[in-house]
Amino acid sequence: MHNANNLFINYMDKAVHGSPVVQANFLKVILKVSETIVKILKHENLIINLNYEPGKFWPAHKDKTVAFVDGGLDKTSFLSSAPLTIRAGSYIVNKAAKEEFFTQQKNCLVDLYDPDNELYDFIDDDNFEDLMLNKKKDAARIIFEASALVNHIQSERNIDLCFLHGPIQAILTPFTQQGFPPFTKLAAEYIIPFYKKKKMSPEDRHFINVYLECVKFIKKSPFPIYGVVETAVSAAYTKNLLYSFKSKGIISEKDYRETIDTIIKYRITDANLFEIILKKNQALKPIEIQKQFYGNKIIQRSMWDDLIEQYPKIFMGYVKVTDNQAPIRIETLNYPSNLISDFSYILAVSKLLPNYGYPVGLNVVDRFVKISNWMSKASRNYFTTHLLKQAINNKDKNTVSLALKILSKKNRAWMNRPTKRRISR
Amino acid sequence: MRKKLKWQTIGTVLGETNINEFFFSLKNYQAKKGDIVATETNVPDGNGKIISVTVWGKIMSIDCSNEWFPRQAAQELANEDIDIRDTILPTTRDELICKVSILGYTKNNEDKLKLLPLVYPVKPAASVNYPHSNDVEKLLISDLNSKHPIFIGSLLARESVEIKIDADNLVSRHVLITGMSGSGKTVMVRRIISELMQKMFPMLIYDIHGDYLGFVQKNKQMFPDNKVKLFYPNLSIKSEDKEIIYTLIEKLGKPLTEPQNDYLNSLINKVKYEESSLIKYINKLIAQSRDYIKDRNSKTKGASSGMGHIKAATMFVVNRSLGQVVKKLISMEQTNFRHRKKMVNLKFEQLPDAGTEPEKIISKGQLSILYLKGYETLPASAIVSILSESLFKHRQEVEEEIPPFLTIIEEAHNFIPSRTENKDNLPSVETIRKLITEGRKFGTGLMIVSQRPARLDETIVSQCNSHISFRIKNQKDQKFVRDTSETFDAEDTKQLPALANGQGVISGQVVNFSLPVQIKFDEQLLNTDIGNENFISTVEKWDDKETVKLRKKFAKDFSSISESDQRRPH
């Protein structure tokens, strides 16, 4: 502990002298880990080189029908209201047939604080509702995206390749918390039209169940569907790779445990490692991963564990598009039957967005489904006016004060509000 | 207006509007820049009622964007030579945003279209329609209440919309026509002349290049009821204008000192001007001066002529200057003569005396062309000044010996230069200033044509109520047009450098509102005698004259003589 007067000097001292030491140590560790992982990857023949010749590639692939799917969400919220706008849409393109479709498959506009909202059953616990709010919004987005994929499969459109912006199977833990509300019957049927049971129990309508139905259906898709994640923050691939080696007896339990600990301690991610290991136009073959249980270890125990075990395993691979970008994570529910061809497509379509290095079609659909600023702004303005009007009509001083407090989003703004106090001379 | 329901919908008004402009989202390929569009809105009528009206506007610009086409993708396409049509990048989602300048509104329940200024903004999200050509045509002439509309061409953005301008305002309120060489000024003037000839309106053209001689050639064929007269200048001036000799000496001869000017003054006072030819008069001055010199050099030392106080040298200088002026005037006359001679099929007449026989120049149904080729600026300016002044006087007189007429001044920067050109003393400047300020009352309209508007006299230009501008690249000229023309808006001037031949922007009192126009080209009115500017072909067909051939032949012999001569010169 230092004297507070010297805080700035000490801070600068740490930045100049301390940080480089930490950094050097991090680099040393990550290099050591990567050296080991490269050996494993090579041993397993997991690194593939993809051919990138755009001049030849694109004319040869222009007759493919490709769908890009994404969901857009507006998360505006106030103390007294939680409007939620979600839409899932697709960009489907076949250049040979001169077809470019932008479709909005699923959309929903509800107020999550409304007891009669059509999306979730209402749980009458104010504190709990508040905590659950963001989880409910995330679950809604995930399920709408999955529903859009289901929709594509059902439409029997002749699709050659399909890409989802995000993981092909979401991590379920946040939604297993006790009290997470089930979808309404209406919502469940809207999400999966064929999911009709005569008597749908709240468990049947719960996210874990509805999503499982979607995932199972998606797994049966006649065309390959890939989830693309541009910022991989986990080390799922590495950990699973090490686990499979330990299972085969190639590495000892001790080495496995210590390496996993190091990875966790240093927060080493797949993206960090493969950015070092892979060169541009290289990819990692997908490996099978039980997404909900890392290395056979259940992340968090819940009443849904049995159901979660029914979730299919996924296949996870990586594609490095440019030298300057971390590789993108590719997830799929089935092992690709045309791995090289499909990964080459992912590479080529990502090369068209060189600064981000992920499929440009996902960038296009992302812009399409995004809830525009003007929409959320207008809704916010409308809400504000409405709230104030109601408060003022009420004529109760405390109600007006509460309305103002709600509108001044942060406490500091509320503290600094203009008051009627007379200015002293 | 009753047909409005059938108008095609081409877009939707965007969220923010005002009374001057609005933006709308356009369907692909449904309209062009310069197109006239309409949208319906409600406005308060001032009597407590809300009325439904049609708001008219002109598309000033169109911005196109493909929101879903990332910039970096463009770079990759270029670098790797990829055809976007092969990739998955979207090409069909262009967003077209048009900026519309509001022209005004017309009431929906009135049959006659009267364009009124909009006082209430356009309704956002309203449909934008593409009116029928005949509705646009009706709108374009609606407000002018023109008794004599004349056809000049079509709307630049829409060929099917004919543009007519108001002839009454054209002939009385002065028009400025500007544009680079070859941009379409003369095409426009020819178009106007053709139309006015059909209305038997008298016109006088000061033609420097012979651009209008086609009217003489096609007189009988195309304008059987009109007379087309072709004149060459007669350097005659009135006695009260004889002071022009001072200016001629200053510009064509050697500038005189004060004593020399005094001497010239004595000469002019002494020699009576007989209102015949200016050259004859100057020759008389020279003869008189010679007599004075003789007398000055005699034994009497000038006592008999009363010029004894003037130095002989002063007299010599004045004499020499007068000689120079005469020589140049004769040379210009001869040049003009040579040009006329080339056009054997055209009948040139000497310009009649405008003072005594104005009807020979201006009469109903007559087009008079004064062919000024070969004349330098000053004499040409003097001719223009004297003739215009004379004709104007006739219009001012109670008797009105001649009908109202239109004067067309080609290459006007030669006759009415800006003050910055330091040619303030050109006699035509003052005359035209007078004509342009008072001419409207007397029916003597002016059409000023120039390729360098920035070099024109600002006072005169500011009096031109209508302006037709063709392509202008010169920044100074563009600025001048922008600054001096109240009726041009900023978008109009922006498009001036990009206009093609025969395309112009017309604004002012001859039209309801500023319009980009494609002028109809009257090919048959080209002068076939002076040929075109195809100099390469001219050279290809070139054959030296006999004298030139002989000179070339003998030149060789003479050069061999000079080459063999080795003696030192004495």
Side-chain angles (χ1 to χ4, degrees):
Chain A
M1 289 296 141
H2 294 280
N3 185 329
N5 289 340
N6 295 327
L7 186 64
F8 178 69
I9 295 167
N10 289 320
Y11 177 76
M12 292 306 290
D13 182 56
K14 267 273 172 275
V16 176
H17 299 108
S19 291
V21 176
V22 178
Q23 277 172 14
N25 180 248
F26 175 79
L27 283 176
K28 193 177 168 187
V29 172
I30 200 169
L31 280 171
K32 286 284 166 206
V33 176
S34 68
E35 275 168 21
T36 314
I37 298 295
V38 167
K39 282 176 192 164
I40 299 171
L41 292 170
K42 284 186 176 165
H43 180 267
E44 292 290 293
N45 196 22
L46 288 172
I47 299 175
I48 45 176
N49 289 308
L50 300 170
N51 192 18
Y52 179 61
E53 285 181 89
K56 288 180 188 165
F57 180 88
W58 284 113
H61 289 78
K62 67 187 285 189
D63 58 345
K64 272 192 161 55
T65 301
V66 188
F68 298 89
V69 180
D70 196 11
L73 178 71
D74 176 39
K75 286 185 178 178
T76 309
S77 67
F78 301 92
L79 277 176
S80 60
S81 164
L84 174 68
T85 316
I86 308 172
R87 60 177 171 186
S90 304
Y91 168 51
I92 307 163
V93 54
N94 181 323
K95 278 298 176 77
K98 293 188 177 168
E99 288 175 351
E100 286 177 15
F101 298 112
F102 286 84
T103 57
Q104 189 179 300
Q105 282 137 311
K106 300 280 167 182
N107 60 58
C108 153
L109 178 60
V110 290
D111 185 341
L112 294 176
Y113 283 165
D114 179 1
D116 296 327
N117 84 75
E118 292 170 341
L119 190 61
Y120 286 107
D121 279 1
F122 190 72
I123 291 179
D124 193 14
D125 183 339
D126 279 353
N127 291 331
F128 208 58
E129 264 303 311
D130 211 28
L131 286 168
M132 281 293 175
L133 196 60
N134 280 334
K135 289 183 179 179
K136 278 157 70 173
K137 288 177 177 177
D138 285 343
R141 181 183 49 77
I142 292 164
I143 206 81
F144 269 65
E145 286 174 355
S147 174
L149 292 175
V150 168
N151 190 263
H152 279 315
I153 299 164
Q154 273 199 310
S155 74
E156 293 178 357
R157 186 192 284 272
N158 188 17
I159 292 174
D160 294 304
L161 270 170
C162 181
F163 297 98
L164 171 70
H165 196 182
I168 197 75
Q169 194 187 111
I171 299 286
L172 302 169
T173 327
F175 316 113
T176 56
Q177 194 173 345
Q178 203 176 6
F180 187 83
F183 291 117
T184 62
K185 186 170 183 287
L186 185 76
E189 285 173 1
Y190 179 65
I191 293 159
I192 326 177
F194 53 84
Y195 186 61
K196 280 178 184 167
K197 291 183 178 176
K198 275 185 186 170
K199 281 187 180 176
M200 247 196 255
S201 68
E203 283 74 30
D204 291 336
R205 291 185 274 115
H206 191 276
F207 175 82
I208 303 294
N209 246 319
V210 179
Y211 189 51
L212 177 62
E213 285 302 315
C214 289
V215 172
K216 280 182 184 168
F217 193 78
I218 294 166
K219 188 172 164 64
K220 285 187 230 157
S221 164
F223 49 83
I225 302 177
Y226 294 98
V228 182
V229 183
E230 70 257 39
T231 43
V233 289
S234 72
Y237 193 98
T238 313
K239 286 176 183 172
N240 274 274
L241 193 65
L242 291 170
Y243 180 75
S244 70
F245 261 50
K246 189 204 77 168
S247 306
K248 288 180 198 166
I250 300 172
I251 54 172
S252 69
E253 178 70 36
K254 182 179 165 280
D255 285 347
Y256 168 73
R257 184 54 44 212
E258 280 177 5
T259 315
I260 292 290
D261 283 349
T262 309
I263 287 171
I264 294 168
K265 254 194 297 180
Y266 281 80
R267 291 181 190 165
I268 294 169
T269 64
D270 285 345
N272 297 149
L273 278 176
F274 301 143
E275 187 163 4
I276 300 166
I277 293 167
L278 296 177
K279 291 177 190 147
K280 74 169 179 184
N281 304 347
Q282 279 189 333
L284 287 183
K285 283 182 192 167
I287 59 167
E288 196 174 30
I289 287 171
Q290 172 63 283
K291 195 156 187 186
Q292 312 303 338
F293 305 92
Y294 289 145
N296 232 6
K297 183 186 168 193
I298 299 171
I299 296 169
Q300 196 179 350
R301 290 276 170 197
S302 80
M303 61 176 282
W304 298 103
D305 284 354
D306 291 343
L307 204 60
I308 288 173
E309 279 185 27
Q310 290 181 33
Y311 269 77
K313 289 180 178 174
I314 65 148
F315 294 87
M316 185 188 284
Y318 278 87
V319 174
K320 184 154 185 181
V321 181
T322 66
D323 281 332
N324 309 322
Q325 298 297 324
I328 48 173
R329 194 169 86 204
I330 314 295
E331 293 184 5
T332 171
L333 291 170
N334 300 300
Y335 193 86
S337 49
N338 297 307
L339 176 70
I340 301 296
S341 158
D342 288 0
F343 271 37
S344 297
Y345 197 93
I346 293 170
L347 177 73
V349 89
S350 303
K351 288 274 190 186
L352 291 174
L353 200 64
N355 292 358
Y356 292 105
Y358 78 97
V360 71
L362 290 176
N363 180 271
V364 170
V365 73
D366 178 75
R367 290 172 191 223
F368 169 64
V369 295
K370 198 174 174 184
I371 309 291
S372 319
N373 223 3
W374 62 266
M375 252 193 255
S376 22
K377 204 175 157 190
S379 100
R380 261 196 301 278
N381 288 347
Y382 184 78
F383 171 81
T384 312
T385 320
H386 188 68
L387 179 74
L388 264 180
K389 257 188 198 166
Q390 275 188 325
I392 290 163
N393 286 343
N394 193 287
K395 289 181 183 166
D396 173 35
K397 206 175 158 188
N398 290 337
T399 314
V400 177
S401 169
L402 177 70
L404 288 171
K405 199 167 190 173
I406 291 169
L407 295 177
S408 41
K409 291 169 196 164
K410 290 174 186 169
N411 279 342
R412 184 170 291 181
W414 169 245
M415 298 301 288
N416 295 334
R417 73 195 184 281
T419 60
K420 255 169 57 179
R421 230 176 293 145
R422 190 171 290 181
I423 300 164
S424 57
R425 298 195 174 187
Chain B
M1 293 313 346
R2 313 279 72 80
K3 293 174 186 169
K4 193 166 49 192
L5 287 175
K6 290 180 189 168
W7 289 353
Q8 191 193 345
T9 300
I10 57 162
T12 308
V13 178
L14 296 184
E16 288 174 14
T17 65
N18 59 45
I19 55 168
N20 299 317
E21 61 183 29
F22 66 86
F23 291 83
F24 79 92
S25 177
L26 172 72
K27 281 189 202 168
N28 277 350
Y29 305 109
Q30 297 297 303
K32 289 192 283 183
K33 183 185 172 182
D35 255 332
I36 305 290
V37 293
T39 180
E40 203 166 290
T41 197
N42 294 330
V43 296
D45 72 344
N47 297 318
K49 282 184 188 167
I50 295 167
I51 52 166
S52 173
V53 299
T54 301
V55 177
W56 299 80
K58 188 168 65 165
I59 298 180
M60 304 308 288
S61 61
I62 307 178
D63 290 339
C64 181
S65 62
N66 182 347
E67 200 192 331
W68 296 317
F69 175 55
R71 275 178 101 92
Q72 33 181 307
Q75 202 181 341
E76 184 70 7
L77 293 179
N79 288 348
E80 299 294 337
D81 213 7
I82 306 169
D83 186 343
I84 189 168
R85 288 168 299 184
D86 296 337
T87 70
I88 56 107
L89 288 164
T91 52
T92 56
R93 304 287 288 192
D94 294 348
E95 190 185 11
L96 294 154
I97 303 295
C98 297
K99 182 184 174 187
V100 175
S101 170
I102 293 172
L103 303 168
Y105 76 87
T106 53
K107 288 179 184 168
N108 284 354
N109 53 1
E110 287 179 5
D111 280 336
K112 195 167 179 250
L113 293 180
K114 177 148 180 66
L115 202 60
L116 299 162
L118 189 66
V119 288
Y120 196 82
V122 165
K123 207 189 288 177
S127 295
V128 178
N129 301 313
Y130 195 63
H132 290 306
S133 302
N134 48 5
D135 289 327
V136 178
E137 277 172 24
K138 265 190 228 165
L139 178 84
L140 297 182
I141 54 165
S142 63
D143 245 21
L144 297 168
N145 288 324
S146 181
K147 287 178 190 157
H148 304 104
I150 57 172
F151 167 68
I152 56 155
S154 56
L155 195 64
L156 190 56
R158 204 165 161 186
E159 210 179 328
S160 57
V161 176
E162 286 192 355
I163 301 289
K164 288 176 180 152
I165 59 173
D166 181 28
D168 294 296
N169 275 330
L170 176 86
V171 298
S172 62
R173 302 208 177 169
H174 320 305
V175 183
L176 172 67
I177 300 180
T178 56
M180 289 167 67
S181 177
S183 61
K185 298 186 298 296
T186 311
V187 170
M188 175 73 187
V189 179
R190 278 202 285 255
R191 183 87 281 283
I192 291 171
I193 294 172
S194 299
E195 290 285 329
L196 288 179
M197 279 176 84
Q198 283 169 20
K199 297 192 185 311
M200 305 302 280
F201 197 81
M203 283 168 280
L204 166 65
I205 310 174
Y206 294 114
D207 188 2
I208 290 187
H209 301 304
D211 289 330
Y212 301 96
L213 301 182
F215 282 99
V216 191
Q217 292 167 327
K218 305 288 161 59
N219 184 185
K220 282 184 187 159
Q221 190 187 331
M222 290 180 65
F223 309 101
D225 300 331
N226 298 82
K227 256 195 283 179
V228 181
K229 290 276 183 188
L230 189 52
F231 299 115
Y232 64 88
N234 170 26
L235 288 171
S236 71
I237 52 169
K238 288 188 170 180
S239 57
E240 60 260 34
D241 291 330
K242 62 183 183 183
E243 280 74 19
I244 197 142
I245 291 166
Y246 296 110
T247 319
L248 285 173
I249 289 181
E250 196 183 319
K251 297 288 172 187
L252 301 180
K254 197 182 165 195
L256 302 179
T257 61
E258 212 167 302
Q260 289 161 357
N261 260 326
D262 285 345
Y263 173 63
L264 177 64
N265 200 21
S266 322
L267 268 177
I268 289 173
N269 286 335
K270 177 79 184 168
V271 181
K272 199 184 163 212
Y273 184 69
E274 286 167 354
E275 298 195 5
S276 58
S277 157
L278 184 64
I279 293 173
K280 271 187 193 167
Y281 180 62
I282 298 175
N283 276 333
K284 275 169 97 175
L285 291 178
I286 293 169
Q288 180 63 56
S289 181
R290 275 198 198 118
D291 290 345
Y292 283 154
I293 292 167
K294 221 173 179 180
D295 186 42
R296 183 69 180 77
N297 291 339
S298 68
K299 284 178 189 169
T300 61
K301 300 236 180 248
S304 57
S305 60
M307 294 287 165
H309 61 288
I310 297 171
K311 286 180 183 172
T314 306
M315 292 177 168
F316 274 122
V317 170
V318 172
N319 226 23
R320 204 160 46 239
S321 278
L322 287 170
Q324 276 173 355
V325 171
V326 168
K327 213 172 158 185
K328 282 194 179 167
L329 288 178
I330 291 171
S331 150
M332 283 180 225
E333 265 194 353
Q334 283 173 348
T335 312
N336 184 269
F337 174 71
R338 277 200 298 276
H339 283 297
R340 294 197 314 260
K341 219 177 142 191
K342 278 184 198 167
M343 291 173 272
V344 283
N345 297 324
L346 299 180
K347 191 187 163 201
F348 285 86
E349 292 174 36
Q350 192 185 48
L351 185 71
D353 182 354
T356 55
E357 298 175 305
E359 70 285 353
K360 285 193 173 169
I361 305 169
I362 300 297
S363 73
K364 188 178 174 184
Q366 179 173 321
L367 169 68
S368 297
I369 301 169
L370 181 60
Y371 185 57
L372 286 168
K373 193 156 187 169
Y375 282 92
E376 281 184 23
T377 306
L378 182 71
S381 164
I383 293 161
V384 167
S385 167
I386 292 159
L387 178 57
S388 297
E389 191 112 25
S390 267
L391 294 172
F392 183 60
K393 267 184 192 159
H394 285 293
R395 283 295 305 158
Q396 278 179 309
E397 283 162 6
V398 189
E399 289 85 10
E400 287 195 346
E401 284 187 29
I402 51 169
F405 66 98
L406 176 71
T407 308
I408 298 156
I409 306 174
E410 266 281 355
E411 303 290 351
H413 47 272
N414 291 323
F415 303 108
I416 46 167
S418 156
R419 284 188 185 88
T420 53
E421 299 278 305
N422 291 326
K423 288 179 184 169
D424 230 11
N425 50 0
L426 283 185
S428 49
V429 176
E430 210 42 57
T431 309
I432 291 169
R433 267 186 206 159
K434 190 168 138 195
L435 246 73
I436 210 154
T437 44
E438 297 175 28
R440 196 183 142 196
K441 288 180 279 183
F442 301 105
T444 53
L446 280 172
M447 188 183 286
I448 291 164
V449 187
S450 175
Q451 52 178 286
R452 293 303 316 275
R455 287 173 59 194
L456 293 175
D457 182 80
E458 296 79 1
T459 315
I460 293 172
V461 167
S462 66
Q463 293 293 319
C464 294
N465 298 108
S466 296
H467 191 166
I468 304 162
S469 189
F470 292 86
R471 184 174 60 250
I472 292 180
K473 297 256 188 203
N474 186 301
Q475 301 268 340
K476 244 187 187 176
D477 290 331
Q478 284 177 38
K479 187 177 179 300
F480 184 84
V481 170
R482 206 167 35 237
D483 294 349
T484 51
S485 181
E486 301 152 7
T487 48
F488 269 22
D489 56 38
E491 290 294 333
D492 285 336
T493 43
K494 261 190 220 166
Q495 74 180 103
L496 290 180
L499 292 171
N501 291 356
Q503 297 180 344
V505 180
I506 181 162
S507 69
Q509 294 189 343
V510 291
V511 280
N512 258 351
F513 40 80
S514 169
L515 286 170
V517 178
Q518 174 72 55
I519 306 298
K520 187 193 167 216
F521 181 49
D522 299 304
E523 199 176 354
Q524 66 276 29
L525 287 174
L526 284 175
N527 175 17
T528 47
D529 257 16
I530 55 167
N532 49 26
E533 291 176 356
N534 195 350
F535 297 123
I536 303 285
S537 302
T538 312
V539 172
E540 279 169 358
K541 292 175 198 159
W542 187 262
D543 193 14
D544 282 339
K545 286 177 186 162
E546 282 309 310
T547 48
V548 178
K549 280 179 188 165
L550 284 171
R551 199 159 58 236
K552 281 182 179 173
K553 185 184 160 197
F554 287 114
K556 281 180 192 168
D557 300 328
F558 288 118
S559 71
S560 62
I561 295 171
S562 68
E563 274 166 25
S564 57
D565 181 2
Q566 289 181 351
R567 284 206 184 159
R568 231 169 7 147
H570 292 297

